């Protein structure tokens, strides 16, 4: 098959796949004990949130990525979900490993709770039966499930190239069943390479501690241990069950027989290392027989404590290569009838002592772990080189782990447990990951090329279990779906809730002023100047007066010049020239005294208020303004294109003109501690700093902002208001601008002050249900 693949496909087609990851993890206290608190209500109904739910226990979080088309995207999404959970569990951590933390007796382990519905009752009853049958402690073992399928076009072309009498569905089934059989044969290698549970806590299982060595006073291991999760003390059926993988029909019949014989309750209780999955997994066996295999689920992978998301990108890429290997690897024609028993025994030998040179059984003959592992990896190298996949370094790293067991996760975890103790070592990692989640709380891994407000809205939607689909990445256009309700959103605040006419009114500053005046809302007086007409009268009229010169139809502070102390006729002409670079009509307005505040109106209320400090630098007596700007722009919070909380400062014609008013230029060296403002307008988009004033501004001014938004029919509106004294309701004010598509990131993550949950308000106005069903338990 290898040569056939080379002839049929290029590298992109060979690596095209659908990859999904499910990762379980326990919520724990800072002392390493199982958390007794309820699943956070912010995640909503456990049975409806497609991203964040629970497994067996109320304290056992399960995060689930959607199906993605690359290992990189799956890795990024896994980290997105981890961060969301970590930031929404107060005074708790996500336990990094697969084997449990400090856990109580079975009767004190909180089983997942559900509201009152038939499906909920079934979910609860199933867990109660598992508790009786296997005990609660084994149910707390967590891990990674890796869901994989090839692109449909890939299988279709393979089918067309084959001389086969099979139907397409049966051919597709045969592909995945072959991979499942091969996986069972060679899974021991994955357990060795990715195994990460060589130590367990004393509260887990006293019956497993016989003949083991103490790592410290609280945990145990044995020489060469790799994965207790995949060993005798791990999560498995009481009796080894071996389904028939020869066909879908045979597989389904074998499961049905296990259920009829009382060995398991249902297909869900078959704890096999790999499962064929169907279009409808709620009725798995019927769906498999009717529609065939949709994908395969690999279940052998331990959580990697050294990775925040539980698995590394390198390991995901190796898994992808391993899936290809399972496809091309030919099966022996003289295989033993007990091949599954042989494979299971190999798995347990590796799990128990794989870091030692154990002997395995290969088709009835003994072979060392190292010899067989290198043989498999050499075959994978031949595959990689033949298909030119550019992934040889991934396989080389696995070869190093085979040749040197000290490079394995199991060895590293054992050593770390010896140094710091089992609980402490895992807790320290958990704390590091939670701090990292906070430091990167504004980021959406893998989507950081999109503007930040969109990322923030996507992240909030994911947290709430609202499905997110990126329709046009470059245009920041997304679809949000909850049940049958779908909303299309562009750049976070362009939605169906605002009409096109509303947008046009806010875009046109002349119209905005006239509409606000009709509603008895104060605005600065001014005139329009048109490109090509004589400018002399306008320039003379406003010479030496405090004014603002701005294009009629721009956003983000582009082309604005502000003269608080008045300007010469030459400077006004230059300001008009700058404005005409952005619009054929420019406004000259009286300068409104006071400080500028951005009121963010969402729906019928003010969701946030910011005072935006104009772009500035603080002198050190040694560097020029240009150099100080370069230094300030190195802050990781600053970027370009609205992808970070703050924008980089840009020294342009407007800032040069502003500095000129104080007889300064870019080469000026400010004294130590001297603050130099680089422009009058305070837009974050031009490098300004944001300070939250939401709780300080009186309701009187907030009501004016809401009235202004309603005047133009806006549900999402940025109201820019000048206030001489924000504390005094009788102080003069003026609304200088209304902004459609207001950025939410500046309120969500201000430079100083309280971070606001703006995205939540956006989702409410879009009429998504954010109420948790947890209150009904």
């Amino acid at each position: 098959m290898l040569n056939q693949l080379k002839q049929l496909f290029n590298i992109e087609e060979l690596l095209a796949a659908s990859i999904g990851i499910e990762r379980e993890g326990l919520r724990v206290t800072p002392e390493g004990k199982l958390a007794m608190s309820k699943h956070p209500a912010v995640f909503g109904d456990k049975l409806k949130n497609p991203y964040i739910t629970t497994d067996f226990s109320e304290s056992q979080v399960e995060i689930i990525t959607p199906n993605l088309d690359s290992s990189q995207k799956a890795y990024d999404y896994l980290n997105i979900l981890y961060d969301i959970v970590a930031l929404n569990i107060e005074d708790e951590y996500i336990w990094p490993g697969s084997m449990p933390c400090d856990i109580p007796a079975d009767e004190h382990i909180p089983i997942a709770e559900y509201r009152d519905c038939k499906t909920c009752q079934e979910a609860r009853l199933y867990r109660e039966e598992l508790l009786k049958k296997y005990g609660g402690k084994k149910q707390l073992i967590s891990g990674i499930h890796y869901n994989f399928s090839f692109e449909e076009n890939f299988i279709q072309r393979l089918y067309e190239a084959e001389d086969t009498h099979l139907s397409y569905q049966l051919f597709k089934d045969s592909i995945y069943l072959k991979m499942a059989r091969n996986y069972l044969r060679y899974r021991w290698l994955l357990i060795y390479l990715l195994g990460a549970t060589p130590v367990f806590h004393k509260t887990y299982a006293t019956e497993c501690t016989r003949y083991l060595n103490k790592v410290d006073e609280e945990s145990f291991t044995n020489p060469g241990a790799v994965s207790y999760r995949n060993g005798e003390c791990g999560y498995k059926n009481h009796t080894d069950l071996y389904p028939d993988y020869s066909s879908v029909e045979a597989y389904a019949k074998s499961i049905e027989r296990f259920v009829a014989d009382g060995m398991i309750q249902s297909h869900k209780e078959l704890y096999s290392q790999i499962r064929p999955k169907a279009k409808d997994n709620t009725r798995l066996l019927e769906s498999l027989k009717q529609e065939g295999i949709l994908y395969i689920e690999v279940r052998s992978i331990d959580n990697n404590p050294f990775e925040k998301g539980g698995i590394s990108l390198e390991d995901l890429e190796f898994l992808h290569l391993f899936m290809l290997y399972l496809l091309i690897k030919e099966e022996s024609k003289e295989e033993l009838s007990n091949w599954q028993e042989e494979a299971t025994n190999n798995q347990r030998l590796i799990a128990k002592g794989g870091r030692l040179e154990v002997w395995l059984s290969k088709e009835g003959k003994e072979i060392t772990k190292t010899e067989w592992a290198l043989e498999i990896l050499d075959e994978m190298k031949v595959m990689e080189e033949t298909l030119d996949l550019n992934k040889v370094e991934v396989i080389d790293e696995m070869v190093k782990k085979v040749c040197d067991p000290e490079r394995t996760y199991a060895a590293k975890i054992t050593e770390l447990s010896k140094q710091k103790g089992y609980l402490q070592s895992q807790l320290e990692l958990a704390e590091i990951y939670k701090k990292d989640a906070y430091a990167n709380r504004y980021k959406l891994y893998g989507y950081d090329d999109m503007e930040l407000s969109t990322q923030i809205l996507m992240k909030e939607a994911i947290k709430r279990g609202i499905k997110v689909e990126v329709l046009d990445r470059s245009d920041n256009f997304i679809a949000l779906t909850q049940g049958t309700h779908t909303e299309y959103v562009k750049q976070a605040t362009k939605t169906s809730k605002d009409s096109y006419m509303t947008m046009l009114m806010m875009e046109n500053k002349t119209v905005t002023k006239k509409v606000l005046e009709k509603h008895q809302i104060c605005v600065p007086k001014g005139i329009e100047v048109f490109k090509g007409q004589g400018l002399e009268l306008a320039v003379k009229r406003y010479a030496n007066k405090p004014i603002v010169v701005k294009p009629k139809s721009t956003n983000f502070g582009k082309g604005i010049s502000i003269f608080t102390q008045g300007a010469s006729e030459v400077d006004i002409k230059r300001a008009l020239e700058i404005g005409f670079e952005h619009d054929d009509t420019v406004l000259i307005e009286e300068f409104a005294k006071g400080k500028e505040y951005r009121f963010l109106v969402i729906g019928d209320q003010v969701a946030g208020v910011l005072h935006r400090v104009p772009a500035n630098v603080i002198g050190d007596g040694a560097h020029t303004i240009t150099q100080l700007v370069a230094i300030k722009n190195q802050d990781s919070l600053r970027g370009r294109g609205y992808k970070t909380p703050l924008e980089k400062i840009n020294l342009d014609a407007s800032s040069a003109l502003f500095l000129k008013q104080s007889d300064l230029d870019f080469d000026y060296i400010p004294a130590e501690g001297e603050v130099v403002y680089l422009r009058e307008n305070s837009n974050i988009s031009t490098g300004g700093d944001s300070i939250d004033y939401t709780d300080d501004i009186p309701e009187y001014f907030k009501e004016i902002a809401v009235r202004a938004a309603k005047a133009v029919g806006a549900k999402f509106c940025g109201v820019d208001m000048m206030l001489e004294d924000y504390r005094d309701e009788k102080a003069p004010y003026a609304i200088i601008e209304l902004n459609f598509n207001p950025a939410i990131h500046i309120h969500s993550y201000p430079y100083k002050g309280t971070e606001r949950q703006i995205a939540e308000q956006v989702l409410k106005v879009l009429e998504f249900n954010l109420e948790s069903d947890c209150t009904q338990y």
Side-chain angles (χ1 to χ4, degrees):
M1 179 176 276
L2 185 56
N3 290 328
Q4 184 184 42
L5 293 180
K6 181 174 177 63
Q7 292 171 6
L8 287 174
F9 305 105
N10 60 35
I11 180 174
E12 289 79 15
E13 293 166 331
L14 286 165
L15 294 177
S18 177
I19 298 170
I21 303 172
E22 304 165 37
R23 186 262 171 103
E24 303 150 346
L26 301 177
R27 290 186 291 108
V28 302
T29 69
E31 295 74 38
K33 294 181 180 295
L34 185 69
M36 293 293 131
S37 56
K38 291 187 181 297
H39 183 66
V42 72
F43 302 136
D45 190 333
K46 301 181 183 74
L47 295 180
K48 291 182 180 178
N49 190 321
Y51 306 113
I52 303 168
T53 182
T54 57
D55 195 72
F56 169 79
S57 171
E58 188 75 3
S59 309
Q60 192 173 33
V61 176
E62 183 174 7
I63 55 180
I64 306 164
T65 74
N67 295 325
L68 299 155
D69 61 13
S70 73
S71 297
Q72 179 70 63
K73 290 179 182 177
Y75 176 78
D76 288 338
Y77 218 103
L78 196 60
N79 281 282
I80 287 171
L81 294 174
Y82 180 96
D83 283 0
I84 289 173
V85 174
L87 292 172
N88 285 276
I89 50 174
E90 294 184 12
D91 302 320
E92 293 176 354
Y93 299 112
I94 301 173
W95 188 250
S98 282
M99 295 304 285
C101 55
D102 184 343
I103 53 178
D106 282 359
E107 60 268 24
H108 299 300
I109 294 174
I111 302 175
E113 299 178 5
Y114 299 91
R115 61 189 180 89
D116 188 19
C117 69
K118 182 179 178 182
T119 305
C120 305
Q121 290 169 353
E122 291 172 353
R124 174 73 182 194
L125 181 60
Y126 174 66
R127 284 159 174 76
E128 289 175 351
E129 290 298 322
L130 291 178
L131 177 65
K132 293 176 186 176
K133 190 170 183 179
Y134 298 98
K137 295 184 176 184
K138 288 196 176 184
Q139 302 299 321
L140 296 181
I141 298 175
S142 302
I144 297 278
H145 293 175
Y146 177 81
N147 300 318
F148 180 89
S149 65
F150 291 110
E151 287 275 322
E152 200 67 25
N153 182 57
F154 177 88
I155 297 178
Q156 183 70 47
R157 286 172 64 184
L158 272 182
Y159 177 64
E160 293 169 356
E162 286 284 335
D163 182 16
T164 178
H165 64 281
L166 296 175
S167 67
Y168 175 69
Q169 180 176 313
L170 289 177
F171 175 80
K172 181 179 176 182
D173 290 344
S174 70
I175 289 288
Y176 288 124
L177 287 169
K178 175 190 176 183
M179 292 174 66
R181 293 191 298 270
N182 273 338
Y183 181 82
L184 292 172
R185 295 182 183 103
Y186 307 121
R187 68 186 187 256
W188 64 265
L189 177 60
L190 272 189
I191 290 169
Y192 172 80
L193 294 171
L194 307 187
T197 52
V199 182
F200 63 83
H201 193 257
K202 63 184 180 182
T203 57
Y204 168 65
T206 54
E207 68 271 17
C208 291
T209 60
R210 290 174 298 174
Y211 313 115
L212 296 183
N213 301 329
K214 276 192 172 185
V215 176
D216 55 22
E217 288 303 313
E218 60 190 15
S219 58
F220 296 84
T221 189
N222 65 267
V226 170
S227 176
Y228 284 115
R229 174 175 172 269
N230 286 290
E232 283 293 336
C233 290
Y235 198 49
K236 63 185 185 68
N237 297 111
H238 288 319
T239 302
D240 290 331
L241 302 175
Y242 299 113
D244 187 339
Y245 291 93
S246 62
S247 69
V248 164
E249 189 71 29
Y251 178 81
K253 284 183 178 179
S254 61
I255 305 299
E256 289 164 351
R257 187 173 63 254
F258 298 152
V259 174
D261 292 343
M263 295 180 177
I264 55 176
Q265 297 181 61
S266 71
H267 63 85
K268 293 186 292 184
E269 196 188 329
L270 178 66
Y271 303 131
S272 58
Q273 298 285 305
I274 191 166
R275 287 175 174 173
K277 304 293 278 190
K279 182 179 180 180
D280 182 0
N281 289 315
T282 62
R283 39 182 289 277
L284 175 72
L285 301 183
E286 293 84 354
S287 187
L288 281 174
K289 287 185 280 188
Q290 291 171 9
E291 294 108 15
I293 300 173
L294 185 63
Y295 63 96
I296 52 177
E297 178 192 40
V298 171
R299 299 163 54 81
S300 310
I301 306 166
D302 292 346
N303 288 336
N304 179 357
F306 300 113
E307 277 287 331
K308 182 171 71 171
I311 188 167
S312 72
L313 177 58
E314 181 180 69
D315 290 340
L316 283 172
E317 290 180 336
F318 180 76
L319 277 166
H320 195 162
L321 294 176
F322 197 64
M323 293 299 108
L324 273 175
Y325 174 75
L326 300 178
L327 172 66
I328 68 167
K329 178 65 176 175
E330 295 304 324
E331 298 178 271
S332 172
K333 295 179 180 178
E334 301 178 356
E335 190 157 48
L336 300 173
S337 60
N338 66 337
W339 68 273
Q340 289 202 61
E341 290 91 333
E342 181 183 73
T344 298
N345 190 52
N346 287 337
Q347 169 192 323
R348 290 174 181 163
L349 287 170
I350 291 295
K352 182 179 180 181
R355 286 186 286 131
L356 305 177
E357 190 55 287
V358 297
W359 288 82
L360 305 177
S361 181
K362 179 184 178 186
E363 297 179 19
K365 298 178 181 179
E366 286 195 330
I367 184 172
T368 66
K369 169 209 70 181
T370 301
E371 182 182 355
W372 195 3
L374 292 177
E375 179 185 303
I376 295 170
L377 293 172
D378 283 345
E379 289 175 348
M380 290 185 68
K381 271 193 175 183
V382 171
M383 174 193 77
E384 194 280 334
E385 291 166 359
T386 303
L387 300 178
D388 195 24
L389 299 176
N390 297 322
K391 298 288 184 182
V392 67
E393 71 282 354
V394 175
I395 302 173
D396 284 342
E397 186 58 35
M398 301 304 166
V399 170
K400 292 176 184 177
K401 289 184 180 181
V402 170
C403 295
D404 181 6
E406 293 306 305
R407 299 175 72 101
T408 62
Y409 301 132
K412 293 176 181 178
I413 290 163
T414 302
E415 183 59 31
L416 194 62
S417 298
K418 288 178 180 177
Q419 292 175 6
K420 297 186 176 183
Y422 175 71
L423 292 180
Q424 187 60 32
S425 60
Q426 299 264 342
L427 282 171
E428 287 183 8
L429 290 170
E431 184 177 7
I432 289 170
Y433 300 148
K434 185 158 186 170
K435 286 180 178 178
D436 181 75
Y438 180 79
N440 295 286
R441 63 197 179 283
Y442 60 87
K443 290 183 179 179
L444 200 65
Y445 289 97
Y447 297 91
D448 45 11
D449 57 314
M450 300 178 73
E451 61 98 19
L452 188 56
S453 290
T454 301
Q455 292 184 54
I456 292 169
L457 183 61
M458 290 170 64
K459 198 168 188 177
E460 185 69 22
I462 291 168
K463 177 173 76 178
R464 302 284 183 168
I466 299 168
K467 291 186 178 179
V468 177
E469 180 185 2
V470 177
L471 302 176
D472 188 327
R473 200 176 181 108
S474 63
D475 210 22
N476 297 286
F477 216 125
I478 63 175
L480 304 177
T481 301
Q482 185 183 60
T484 59
H485 177 203
T486 296
E487 290 286 342
Y488 299 99
V489 182
K490 180 177 178 179
Q491 296 169 339
T493 53
K494 289 181 181 177
T495 78
S496 62
K497 303 304 177 184
D498 284 326
S499 71
Y500 183 53
M501 182 53 66
T502 292
M503 182 197 77
L504 292 176
M505 283 194 288
M506 286 192 281
E507 185 179 57
N508 188 311
K509 292 175 174 58
T510 298
V511 172
T512 297
K513 288 179 63 175
K514 291 180 178 179
V515 171
L516 293 179
E517 284 177 328
K518 284 185 178 182
H519 286 78
Q520 288 80 52
I521 296 173
C522 295
V523 294
K525 293 181 171 57
I527 63 170
E528 290 183 341
V529 181
F530 303 98
K531 194 173 187 177
Q533 75 174 35
L535 306 180
E536 289 76 12
L537 288 177
V539 168
K540 288 183 179 297
R541 176 178 173 180
Y542 286 97
N544 301 314
K545 294 180 180 178
I547 58 170
V548 177
V549 180
K550 60 185 179 183
K552 184 175 74 171
S553 301
T554 63
N555 249 338
F556 308 117
K558 295 177 181 176
I560 295 178
S561 299
I562 301 174
F563 303 96
T564 58
Q565 304 300 318
S568 68
E569 293 184 19
V570 172
D571 287 343
I572 294 175
K573 283 184 178 181
R574 178 57 185 142
L576 288 168
E577 290 171 0
I578 293 172
F580 286 133
E581 291 175 5
H582 299 274
D583 200 312
D584 290 342
T585 305
V586 174
L587 307 182
I588 303 179
E589 295 179 344
E590 296 175 353
F591 175 74
K593 294 181 180 179
K595 290 184 177 181
E596 181 184 344
Y597 298 85
R598 160 61 65 90
F599 291 69
L600 177 63
V601 177
I602 296 181
D604 296 329
Q605 61 182 343
V606 171
V609 183
L610 287 177
H611 170 50
R612 298 173 296 177
V613 179
N616 64 86
V617 292
I618 300 175
D620 60 4
H623 293 90
T624 66
I625 288 176
T626 299
Q627 292 169 331
L628 290 170
V629 166
I631 293 169
K632 191 168 184 177
N633 281 343
Q634 291 175 8
D635 188 334
S636 62
L637 295 181
R638 293 188 182 272
R640 297 196 186 281
Y642 317 108
K643 299 178 178 66
T644 50
L646 299 170
E647 289 291 305
K648 289 184 182 293
I649 299 170
N650 184 32
L651 294 176
D652 56 11
S654 292
S655 48
L657 184 60
F658 177 77
L659 288 172
K660 181 187 174 193
Q661 297 174 60
S662 301
D663 296 322
L664 303 177
D665 59 25
F666 298 149
D667 294 326
Y668 173 68
I669 299 176
E672 186 170 353
E674 179 184 357
V675 179
V676 178
Y677 293 97
L678 305 173
R679 55 204 317 131
E680 183 67 33
N681 72 292
S682 56
N683 297 68
I684 303 303
S685 58
T686 54
D689 299 329
S690 53
I691 303 174
D692 178 72
Y693 270 78
T694 308
D695 297 331
D696 301 313
I697 297 291
E699 286 300 315
Y700 174 76
F701 294 118
K702 292 178 182 177
E703 290 169 3
I704 291 172
V706 173
R707 281 174 50 210
K710 286 185 174 180
V712 294
K715 289 292 184 182
F716 298 96
C717 182
V719 180
D720 292 340
M721 189 184 300
M722 298 297 294
L723 296 173
E724 288 194 26
D725 185 352
Y726 75 87
R727 296 160 296 189
D728 182 3
E729 294 184 0
K730 296 181 180 180
Y733 79 90
I735 291 180
I736 58 175
E737 198 164 283
L738 298 183
N739 296 273
F740 72 94
N741 188 213
I744 68 172
H745 72 270
I746 58 177
H747 300 271
S748 301
Y749 301 107
Y751 185 60
K752 292 181 182 178
T754 303
E755 296 180 355
R756 303 288 166 179
Q757 298 297 316
I758 304 300
E760 178 182 337
Q761 302 303 314
V762 174
L763 293 175
K764 285 181 179 178
V765 171
L766 293 177
E767 300 181 67
F768 287 108
N769 179 18
L770 304 188
E771 296 300 319
S772 169
D773 291 318
C774 296
T775 57
Q776 300 178 28
Y777 295 160

